[in-house]
Amino acid sequence: MKLPEINLKELERIKEENFRERLEFQDRYVIWMEKTNNVKWSSAQRAIVNRKSA
């Protein structure tokens, strides 16, 4: 059985990009939370919590 070749530099680049995207999402989400009234925010949270996993 032949193992696949793994490009460690590409893997590191993907890891850094994912981390950056996660931080950007968190920043946008905090801004949304601060601008959104409690009723709308609570409804959105309930939808996320009650969502069934695919």
Side-chain angles (χ1 to χ4, degrees):
M1 174 185 213
K2 185 177 178 183
L3 296 175
E5 291 185 26
I6 299 174
N7 183 338
L8 294 178
K9 288 183 180 181
E10 178 69 10
L11 193 60
E12 184 63 29
R13 184 193 66 75
I14 292 170
K15 179 182 170 185
E16 289 174 5
E17 183 179 333
N18 287 341
F19 181 73
R20 180 188 50 77
E21 288 176 358
R22 195 174 317 122
L23 291 178
E24 289 175 0
F25 170 79
Q26 289 173 348
D27 288 342
R28 288 192 313 269
Y29 190 66
V30 167
I31 291 168
W32 178 82
M33 283 177 31
E34 291 172 346
K35 291 180 178 180
T36 306
N37 69 39
N38 287 340
V39 172
K40 185 174 181 180
W41 185 88
S42 296
S43 296
Q45 291 302 303
R46 184 173 37 256
I48 291 170
V49 170
N50 292 334
R51 181 175 47 184
K52 294 182 180 180
S53 47

